[in-house]
Amino acid sequence: MKIKYIKLPKSQNERLKAIVRGQNNMAAQDTTYHGGSFSGPSTHHVFSGFLFDMVNEDGTLIDSTDAITKHWHRLGKELNFDADVLLATSHGRRSIDTLKLLAPEKANWDYVSRVEGSIPIELGANAVEIPGARDTLAKLKAISARWAIVTSGSKALMDGWLEVMSLPPPPVSVTAEEVDAGKPDPACYELGRERTGLSSSSGKVLVIEDSPSGIKAGKAAGCSVLGLASTHSIESVIAAGADWVVKDLRSMEVAGMTDSGDVEVRFFNCWVPDQIATDTK
């Protein structure tokens, strides 16, 4: 893949805008989905474990978009950046990586953990559960299934949201501090597989994701991916490589444990496109 380098202007806000323009150019897709519906038939599957995305404008277990938006606007004032452009720059990046680009002096885990840890405490009222999330986690916990949270957020952010939303803590987790590169790099999901006892050769793992970068990371780690069209367009979720696309976790039913220790699940009301037109220019 050829990497295009962008020469950044000296002005902070012009520098931000240049980064966003580069992102928008790379985000252009050549496939258009003309209509469709969440009406796919029920299908049964067996998985050995489950890896859930969680925070940073997440739409997998909770939708914290409003809280994260307010956080970046607040941080924009502190760092003297245009808040809207700062927010756009942060999309698909860990906070530490955004700060490395724009405010290197703040790019350390002490600072990131402090500012991210304040989000659930101060802005928690702006977050809502994704429908079906609580029930899904409760059923996995009840049958002692292997599952983990794999997040681009810090441990402080993950722990804060779990407490504020009263969601069950995962048996194991992977947070932003524990990998060198963020999604779409697969390192986080590879570590998630390792910590759940499911290396690349020892079972079928399902990643549950809403972001294109997370979907790509899950696929690159050798996992199947259930994509939630909760915070990103259906087109972008499909284009990223999701194996199934659903509206939320009400379309994933945990049926029970097999004799071998795997978990039976049922997907229903998956996205079915009416037709697909591909730009061949």
Side-chain angles (χ1 to χ4, degrees), residues 13-14 18 33-34 42 54 69 76 79 88 100 110 131 150 167 176 180 187 191 204 216 220-221 226-227 244 258:
N13 287 320
E14 284 303 312
Y33 295 81
H34 297 289
S42 173
M54 183 179 179
T69 298
L79 301 177
K100 284 177 181 177
D110 287 341
V150 178
L167 290 171
D180 292 331
L191 184 55
K204 190 174 181 182
K216 291 175 183 178
L226 178 67
W244 307 271
T258 68

Side-chain angles (χ1 to χ4, degrees), residues 29 31-39 210-212 215 227-248 269-276:
Q29 301 294 335
T31 301
T32 303
Y33 295 81
H34 297 289
S37 62
F38 290 102
S39 58
D210 71 305
S211 73
I215 292 167
L228 273 61
S230 50
T231 57
H232 295 268
S233 70
I234 294 168
E235 287 87 351
S236 65
V237 171
I238 294 172
D243 298 286
W244 307 271
V245 180
V246 296
K247 189 180 296 184
D248 54 49
N269 293 334
C270 292
W271 175 258
V272 180
D274 290 338
Q275 66 183 76
I276 301 176

Side-chain angles (χ1 to χ4, degrees), residues 61-206:
L61 295 177
I62 61 173
D63 184 352
S64 57
T65 302
D66 289 346
I68 298 298
T69 298
K70 291 181 179 180
H71 158 70
W72 282 111
H73 276 259
R74 185 168 62 182
L75 204 62
K77 291 181 179 179
E78 177 185 332
L79 301 177
N80 195 30
F81 283 109
D82 181 294
D84 289 330
V85 183
L86 179 61
L87 180 62
T89 308
S90 72
H91 287 174
R93 288 190 174 97
R94 300 179 300 173
S95 294
I96 192 82
D97 297 323
T98 299
L99 292 170
K100 284 177 181 177
L101 280 171
L102 307 172
E105 71 281 2
K106 299 289 188 180
N108 62 78
W109 287 115
D110 287 341
Y111 178 77
V112 171
S113 295
R114 178 173 64 79
V115 295
E116 285 194 347
S118 70
I119 297 172
I121 297 170
E122 299 175 7
L123 301 171
N126 296 278
V128 295
E129 289 181 26
I130 293 297
R134 184 177 299 276
D135 184 57
T136 298
L137 295 184
K139 287 180 178 178
L140 290 175
K141 182 179 179 181
I143 61 175
S144 299
R146 287 180 283 191
W147 67 280
I149 287 175
V150 178
T151 175
S152 294
S154 63
K155 187 177 188 301
L157 183 58
M158 181 190 71
D159 289 345
W161 280 127
L162 289 173
E163 181 176 356
V164 167
M165 305 302 290
S166 298
L167 290 171
V172 293
S173 64
V174 178
T175 57
E177 304 97 316
E178 299 180 287
V179 292
D180 292 331
K183 303 170 185 177
D185 189 284
C188 56
Y189 280 120
E190 290 170 346
L191 184 55
R193 292 190 70 139
E194 179 182 331
R195 288 185 175 174
T196 51
L198 298 167
S199 65
S200 58
S201 61
S202 62
K204 190 174 181 182
V205 178
L206 181 68

Side-chain angles (χ1 to χ4, degrees), residues 45-48 50 140 143 145 254-258 261-265:
H45 308 271
V46 175
F47 297 101
S48 301
F50 304 84
L140 290 175
I143 61 175
V254 178
M257 185 83 76
T258 68
D262 292 331
V263 179
E264 295 180 349
V265 299

